[in-house]
Amino acid sequence: MPGPKLDRALVLHVAKLASLSLSEGEADRFAGELARIVAYVEQLDAVDTADVAPTAHVLLDRMPLRTDVLVPCLSHEDALSQAPQVEGGGFAVPTFVE
Amino acid sequence: MLDSSVISPAGPVGLGVTGIAASVRAGETSAESVTLAALEQIARYDGELNAFLEVPREGALAQARAIDARRARGEALGPLAGVPVAIKDAICVRGVVTTAASKILAGYEPPYDATVIERLRAADAVILGKTNMDEFAMGSSSENSAFGVTRNPWDRARTPGGSSSGSAAAVAARMAPCSLGSDTGGSIRQPACLTGTVGLKPTYGRVSRFGLIAFASSLDQIGPFATDVRGAARVLSVLAGHDPRDATSLAAPTEDFEAACGRSVRGLRVGVPEEYFAEGLDPEVGESVRGAIRELEAEGCVVTPVTMPHTRFAVATYYVLATAEASSNLARFDGVRYGLRSHDGDAARDLRAMYGKTRDAGFGAEVKRRILLGTFVLSAGYYDAYYRKAQKVRTLIRRDFERAFEGVDVICSPASPTPAFRLGEKVDDPLAMYLNDIYTLPASLAGVPAMSVPCAPTRAGLPVGLHIAARAMDEATMLAVASAWEARSPAASLVPPLVVPAKA
């Protein structure tokens, strides 16, 4: 397992991937805490997992597919009812294309 | 009219799930009077305990009166007739503020009911209120709630556990006879253990997750807390069953789980994994749990040691997988469709800035920590080393259970390594907090049912829980063992000292 340097720069990179603006000080604090947690997680290195298949999910074999038919869903009004900003019958967001 | 204050502490609420339903169905007491009694208990204790985030009093009373009116018309009532149920705030109730104890969802009123809420209503239960929790179910103490800590009714300086903190405290303090929680790595069983209540995590897929605010989708499961095993079994029977709206819902026949309570356990094989009685276990907790296992032996169970060699890797495995799934699930909180939106600085003009600032303002420290860890273990260059590796170790943990269940019917252990710890004790050490879940995590990773049942308290009077896990889909055997132990448990009739008999 690579020993990543979980420093401020890596935390800021990951925060960007997660769309999370961190305030000053948070990045340093998280870097220290996450470095400790990741060091603990690296004990998994000691486990021999050669020829072991990963488990993404338990019991997948017992989950039936539903039939592909339309069923009632939330009304347009209900779906918009909790939005912070609504415009023209849709969710309003800041401009993202010119 | 039955004067229930004479026969049980805490008035009608103290009758428990099955007692209340029987009394309401027989017309000995009304759903309205039971609901009023629960509301009085909340008024009496919750100022100090903070188990509830929302108590829609008029709505609860209206539901109760409607049930009473149906009985008056001669209609048959459901299995939870007039039973008040407290609901973890991660579960959507139409029109009732549901926040998962996060600022990012402050004021959110779901436009729909979770499937479990529909099922409770159909069984004639009364939705009493929403309970406090660790934000997005991430935590083991309630200290991650954005709306203040919940206190343990047995000792108000201590945590009730978490993340289903309020649901456990509400039942322990007899503010409700039962409640719903959700359990991803122990969030029902650990607080049940720490509050002296019965808490049950069903087999993964047994209960619909539709309407549960998701934390880690391959692990999350809704289940009941109750004052007794039979009550928990009754609520589980109501909740369980296939739901086409949850793609992971099992197509399994529904069962009457209550039928297993009181069944003989003679000849059942109880596995005891030595790995669960190792370093870090409080000696008094170990003694109490071993005492319970000896009593099961006296009931005719055959106790055998089992080995579960990958137990010690469960915490590391869990914190990789659960945070990875959480980082994906929590991407939906972006200030667009519901909840908080930041208008700070360039958030009003720039979409990326709006996402980032909304999430920074809305999420608490532990949620951010887990989103960062989860994003990290899924990111390019680290995926195989962390995420994929943890998925493989998960397979080995599942195999530990499969092998053990070849020789035993249930696995018994402590539910938590220590009794309730003091609020503030572990709050600055995330890793120490995670290690608190060591005994509950493996069953979550394996997807098997597990529960905590009260056993002999510590000398200081703090609750201890016996953890019982069973094969996937075999809640019935687990409940039979739980009920056999409860019949002998010195803890079965204990209520916290603050719960005094209600005045008539």
Side-chain angles (χ1 to χ4, degrees):
Chain A
M1 196 176 284
K5 198 165 170 346
L6 244 166
D7 54 11
R8 180 191 167 86
L10 185 51
V11 166
L12 287 173
H13 167 69
V14 170
K16 195 176 170 199
L17 292 176
S19 292
L20 196 54
S21 311
L22 295 181
S23 43
E24 276 307 309
E26 270 184 313
D28 288 319
R29 185 162 57 85
F30 285 134
E33 289 169 350
L34 292 172
R36 281 190 60 219
I37 295 168
V38 169
Y40 176 81
V41 162
E42 282 172 359
Q43 67 175 285
L44 297 182
D45 278 347
V47 188
D48 180 4
T49 52
D51 306 319
V52 177
T55 293
H57 212 282
V58 295
L59 303 174
L60 274 178
D61 52 322
R62 288 195 241 183
M63 286 158 190
L65 295 174
R66 67 171 172 78
T67 49
D68 188 16
V69 291
L70 283 177
V71 291
C73 65
L74 285 184
S75 67
H76 189 96
E77 188 185 34
D78 276 348
L80 289 175
S81 67
Q82 300 297 310
Q85 204 183 335
V86 171
E87 250 175 58
F91 300 110
V93 295
T95 309
F96 58 94
V97 280
E98 293 302 327
Chain B
M1 190 68 110
L2 184 71
D3 183 359
S4 43
S5 67
V6 174
I7 58 165
S8 81
V13 178
L15 292 172
V17 172
T18 54
I20 292 169
S23 182
V24 170
R25 287 164 72 139
E28 290 163 354
T29 187
S30 66
E32 184 178 9
S33 67
V34 175
T35 300
L36 277 169
L39 291 167
E40 274 171 33
Q41 293 286 98
I42 294 170
R44 193 172 291 134
Y45 303 126
D46 208 42
E48 199 172 356
L49 297 177
N50 196 34
F52 284 87
L53 294 177
E54 280 290 317
V55 181
R57 183 187 165 87
E58 291 313 313
L61 287 170
Q63 291 171 63
R65 286 186 202 113
I67 292 163
D68 290 332
R70 291 193 22 242
R71 190 187 175 279
R73 287 198 298 270
E75 290 180 36
L77 296 181
L80 296 178
V83 175
V85 189
I87 310 294
K88 186 178 187 177
D89 204 35
I91 298 170
C92 290
V93 177
R94 185 182 172 101
V96 177
V97 172
T98 296
T99 66
S102 180
K103 275 191 293 183
I104 210 162
L105 278 174
Y108 173 66
E109 288 182 20
Y112 66 102
D113 274 336
T115 298
V116 289
I117 300 300
E118 288 181 351
R119 286 177 179 261
L120 288 176
R121 294 192 199 281
D124 292 319
V126 171
I127 307 301
L128 186 62
K130 304 303 297 291
T131 60
N132 199 10
M133 57 186 280
D134 287 292
E135 184 178 4
F136 286 111
M138 298 177 186
S140 312
S141 72
S142 84
E143 290 163 294
N144 297 333
S145 169
F147 306 116
V149 299
T150 296
R151 296 181 176 277
N152 191 322
W154 293 88
D155 178 346
R156 281 155 276 175
R158 293 177 191 270
T159 175
S163 68
S164 308
S165 318
S167 288
V171 172
R174 304 303 191 261
M175 296 187 282
C178 64
S179 60
L180 297 192
S182 64
D183 189 312
T184 306
S187 282
I188 292 173
R189 293 160 285 154
Q190 183 256 15
C193 168
L194 269 43
T195 58
T197 54
V198 175
L200 188 158
K201 181 197 89 75
T203 305
Y204 182 82
R206 182 68 102 165
V207 173
S208 169
R209 297 184 293 111
F210 179 79
L212 171 68
I213 297 172
F215 163 14
S217 305
S218 82
L219 299 159
D220 294 344
Q221 205 37 205
I222 294 170
F225 289 87
T227 54
D228 64 350
V229 172
R230 191 173 282 276
R234 169 97 47 115
V235 177
L236 179 63
S237 298
V238 167
L239 301 180
H242 181 62
D243 177 13
R245 292 177 296 186
D246 172 2
T248 61
S249 166
L250 291 167
T254 49
E255 281 181 49
D256 175 11
F257 294 108
E258 217 177 321
C261 300
R263 190 186 284 171
S264 168
V265 294
R266 188 157 297 281
L268 281 182
R269 297 160 304 169
V270 174
V272 180
E274 281 314 307
E275 291 87 352
Y276 285 57
F277 289 84
E279 194 193 338
L281 176 63
D282 178 286
E284 271 197 84
V285 170
E287 193 182 307
S288 169
V289 170
R290 286 192 191 278
I293 294 168
R294 277 196 300 275
E295 290 294 321
L296 286 172
E297 202 163 18
E299 280 289 313
C301 290
V302 181
V303 175
T304 23
V306 292
T307 175
M308 308 193 73
H310 297 94
T311 302
R312 66 197 171 98
F313 300 112
V315 175
T317 303
Y318 174 84
Y319 279 93
V320 171
L321 299 179
T323 58
E325 293 186 30
S327 72
S328 169
N329 271 324
L330 270 61
R332 74 193 57 177
F333 301 103
D334 59 4
V336 175
R337 288 158 297 165
Y338 28 65
L340 182 77
R341 174 181 291 193
S342 172
H343 300 285
D344 184 31
D346 49 359
R349 300 181 306 276
D350 177 335
L351 185 66
R352 298 282 316 183
M354 190 279 280
Y355 290 159
K357 293 199 169 191
T358 294
R359 289 160 65 76
D360 181 42
F363 291 139
E366 179 62 19
V367 174
K368 289 179 185 172
R369 200 178 286 128
R370 294 200 196 191
I371 288 173
L372 291 171
L373 181 60
T375 306
F376 169 69
V377 299
L378 288 174
S379 64
Y382 301 110
Y383 181 94
D384 285 333
Y386 295 100
Y387 183 67
R388 193 99 175 144
K389 181 76 181 181
Q391 285 189 316
K392 290 179 176 179
V393 182
R394 183 177 186 183
T395 303
L396 296 174
I397 291 168
R398 290 175 68 190
R399 283 187 197 159
D400 279 358
F401 278 89
E402 284 163 12
R403 293 216 176 99
F405 284 131
E406 283 168 12
V408 297
D409 301 298
V410 294
I411 295 171
C412 286
S413 69
S416 179
T418 65
F421 48 93
R422 288 179 191 281
L423 290 161
E425 196 177 313
K426 300 186 185 185
V427 75
D428 295 323
D429 188 350
L431 195 53
M433 191 72 95
Y434 298 172
L435 289 170
N436 193 57
D437 300 331
I438 179 73
Y439 298 133
T440 52
L441 293 174
S444 294
L445 291 164
V448 301
M451 66 190 294
S452 178
V453 190
C455 43
T458 65
R459 282 180 283 280
L462 293 172
V464 174
L466 171 69
H467 189 265
I468 309 169
R471 293 183 190 91
M473 309 307 286
D474 197 12
E475 284 88 349
T477 301
M478 176 176 82
L479 285 161
V481 173
S483 137
W485 160 241
E486 183 184 53
R488 286 172 165 256
S489 172
S493 58
L494 297 180
V495 291
L498 97 159
V499 181
V500 293
K503 292 180 184 71

